[in-house]
Amino acid sequence: MSLKSNYLSALLISFVFIISANAQHTDLVDSSQTQVLADTSKSGRYIMPELSHKQMRWSRGGNGFMSIHLGFAPIVDYDLFFQDNASISQVGKQNNQADLRSGRMMFSGQLKFKHPWRYLFSIEYKGLDRSPEQDPIGITDLAFTIPVGKTLGNMIIGKTKETFVYEMVGDAANLPYTERILSPFFASRNTGIKFSNAVLKDRMTWAAGWFNDFLIKNSTVDASVNTVTARITGLPVWENNGRHYLHLALSARYLESNNGKMRLKGRPESNVTSNYLDTKDFEADHGWYLGSELLWNRDNHSVLMEYVKSFISSPINNNPEFTGFTVTGSWVLSPGDFRPYDRKAGFARRIKPGSKHGAFELVGRFSYVTLDDQKIKGGTLNKAYMGLNWWASQYWRVSAGWGPSDLLLNGYHGTTNHLLFRLQWIY
């Protein structure tokens, strides 16, 4: 079998799951999932051992001035790689290994002013939003959300997420797949100020922000990198108490170069591999990034698509343009369970099973990212993924996934097959 037919076969098999889901579609009882969750949230109602809300009450507290909620997000992975010789020559031998993907502790709550402020502080070891080159322990979030009226909604100040790309805006641990792939086009966290709001009876959201890391680097605004992002979402379809919806979104990002240099790089849906895609440092002034999103959900199956295009101002390199897109299909096997959509935030949350056996979700995904244009030769990656998620309770998730990565780099096609096993508990 050729290298391309390898990942295309995986893609075909993945979408058989989605076609089957349509063929087996039946109308569900029009009952509230919230009520189902309330009935199954007690300790002992899931076959996976779980702590009840009452048993975790020590993690919540407060007084007349503030409330506090202590949260945890331990995630453990095991990665196995199977490479051909061309792949090894391109990126080196990738080692099988266990990985503490995230060990996050979060403090959140309210400051009880007349119009309460919300705060979020999280610190973690490694983490879903920190690359292996960075320090293993660091602050992930440090932000205050301040209400500023009906028109502007909320103002968020501090270290927080930029408003660009669905797989970054969404909670990483709750996505149907296990790892992001559009990382060359976004920063996981940045320091700045952003505004966001939900309008038209929560059928649309908008968010925009300006970010500059001068405070972190003890520098000046002019000497640091400015980033501006914006995202707008809409719900043209919202039916059956949120079991059937269509989400559309557009986003944009402007990024200044760092001392006249830019670099885009990314991994093949893995936290422990080398950078398969890498432009290295090249001369540039700034970059414009444009993104589009589509998320369609009907009962227990959904399709998510993203497209990102970057336009780099670099005359010496003929102004290269880079592209990335993904198509993801999800089929939740357990009747009555589905992926609920958060109309205030503009993305879908994790599955919260209504059965003591949890909820099983089949996932198929195909991704394409190229950092190869004009004089820049950063590589082209085709990636397929097939996975199974067991949402064992409201907090536990067990995942297994496999996918081939086809890399075109340095005149060679190299293939890496990757198996990933994950255990996570999010509270």
Side-chain angles (χ1 to χ4, degrees):
M1 182 179 290
S2 67
L3 297 175
K4 286 191 174 181
S5 64
N6 195 14
Y7 66 78
L8 288 175
S9 297
L11 175 64
L12 179 61
I13 295 171
S14 301
F15 277 91
V16 167
F17 295 141
I18 309 306
I19 295 171
S20 300
N22 281 292
Q24 299 181 23
H25 167 70
T26 57
D27 292 333
L28 298 174
V29 176
D30 187 17
S31 60
S32 170
Q33 190 193 32
T34 303
Q35 181 62 46
V36 174
L37 294 177
D39 293 340
T40 59
S41 62
K42 298 178 181 179
S43 179
R45 292 302 299 269
Y46 295 108
I47 61 174
M48 173 70 83
E50 184 65 280
L51 295 174
S52 69
H53 194 69
K54 181 178 180 180
Q55 289 171 319
M56 292 296 293
R57 63 185 177 184
W58 60 269
S59 66
R60 303 178 299 276
N63 52 37
F65 176 70
M66 66 180 296
S67 64
I68 185 170
H69 177 208
L70 180 61
F72 306 93
I75 301 175
V76 180
D77 289 350
Y78 192 81
D79 297 79
L80 295 98
F81 302 99
F82 306 89
Q83 298 173 263
D84 60 17
N85 291 331
S87 173
I88 295 174
S89 69
Q90 289 171 320
V91 297
K93 180 68 175 177
Q94 306 301 307
N95 297 319
N96 302 335
Q97 58 185 291
D99 179 35
L100 178 56
R101 185 66 179 90
S102 175
R104 185 180 302 182
M105 181 178 293
M106 298 161 285
F107 300 86
S108 62
Q110 288 188 345
L111 302 178
K112 299 179 181 179
F113 301 124
K114 180 178 180 180
H115 302 286
W117 295 14
R118 299 195 306 273
Y119 68 89
L120 173 63
F121 170 69
S122 67
I123 185 171
E124 67 182 312
Y125 174 77
K126 296 180 69 173
L128 293 165
D129 302 317
R130 181 173 289 104
S131 66
E133 293 87 356
Q134 295 176 296
D135 292 337
I137 299 178
I139 296 174
T140 299
D141 300 280
L142 179 56
F144 294 90
T145 300
I146 305 168
V148 289
K150 292 183 178 180
T151 301
L152 292 179
N154 293 309
M155 177 175 66
I156 300 95
I157 300 176
K159 187 177 183 182
T160 184
K161 290 185 176 184
E162 296 181 5
T163 59
F164 185 72
V165 179
Y166 182 94
E167 68 173 25
M168 185 63 242
V169 174
D171 300 320
N174 299 332
L175 293 167
Y177 38 85
T178 48
E179 290 288 342
R180 300 168 174 134
I181 199 165
L182 297 176
S183 54
F185 304 103
F186 61 75
S188 61
R189 293 293 196 280
N190 211 335
T191 303
I193 180 172
K194 66 182 183 182
F195 294 86
S196 66
N197 203 3
V199 297
L200 299 179
K201 297 182 179 179
D202 297 341
R203 295 293 290 266
M204 292 186 67
T205 72
W206 64 265
W210 167 74
F211 305 89
N212 189 297
D213 57 2
F214 71 98
L215 291 175
I216 302 299
K217 294 184 176 180
N218 194 26
S219 180
T220 64
V221 173
D222 291 339
S224 301
V225 175
N226 287 296
T227 305
V228 179
T229 65
R231 178 175 180 257
I232 184 169
T233 75
L235 277 176
V237 177
W238 180 263
E239 299 173 353
N240 199 12
N241 290 336
R243 295 176 183 272
H244 181 199
Y245 55 82
L246 174 64
H247 154 104
L248 301 175
L250 295 174
S251 58
R253 182 177 187 241
Y254 171 82
L255 175 66
E256 289 183 342
S257 63
N258 189 356
N259 295 320
K261 301 286 186 180
M262 295 190 75
R263 181 182 182 184
L264 287 77
K265 57 183 179 179
R267 295 178 170 82
E269 295 183 352
S270 171
N271 183 57
V272 297
T273 65
S274 306
N275 288 309
Y276 278 43
L277 299 169
D278 195 344
T279 64
K280 307 299 184 181
D281 288 337
F282 64 94
E283 293 185 26
D285 180 71
H286 65 271
W288 280 99
Y289 302 71
L290 301 177
S292 60
E293 309 165 15
L294 182 151
L295 171 59
W296 174 82
N297 186 93
R298 187 172 183 85
D299 297 327
N300 58 339
H301 46 282
S302 64
V303 176
L304 169 64
M305 294 188 288
E306 285 200 79
Y307 179 85
V308 179
K309 184 81 172 182
S310 67
F311 305 86
I312 309 300
S313 177
S314 176
I316 195 172
N317 292 296
N318 298 332
N319 298 320
E321 300 177 4
F322 306 125
T323 304
F325 72 82
T326 70
V327 181
T328 305
S330 163
W331 178 20
V332 183
L333 303 180
S334 50
D337 289 327
F338 67 103
R339 188 172 287 276
Y341 184 84
D342 188 333
R343 293 170 56 160
K344 296 287 188 182
F347 59 83
R349 300 289 187 177
R350 70 180 182 266
I351 298 167
K352 295 186 177 181
S355 166
K356 68 177 183 179
H357 301 289
F360 290 89
E361 179 185 29
L362 285 171
V363 179
R365 191 185 197 206
F366 175 75
S367 306
Y368 168 88
V369 179
T370 180
L371 304 183
D372 199 336
D373 189 47
Q374 300 298 332
K375 294 183 180 181
I376 305 300
K377 306 300 179 183
T380 297
L381 181 68
N382 294 282
K383 178 73 169 68
Y385 173 84
M386 288 175 50
L388 175 64
N389 298 319
W390 178 33
W391 301 92
S393 73
Q394 294 193 56
Y395 307 125
W396 284 103
R397 170 184 176 178
V398 181
S399 298
W402 163 80
S405 300
D406 183 12
L407 177 64
L408 175 60
L409 181 67
N410 300 328
Y412 295 95
H413 277 97
T415 297
T416 301
N417 283 282
H418 176 206
L419 276 171
L420 173 63
F421 302 94
R422 169 166 294 179
L423 177 65
Q424 73 178 40
W425 184 69
I426 307 297
Y427 179 82

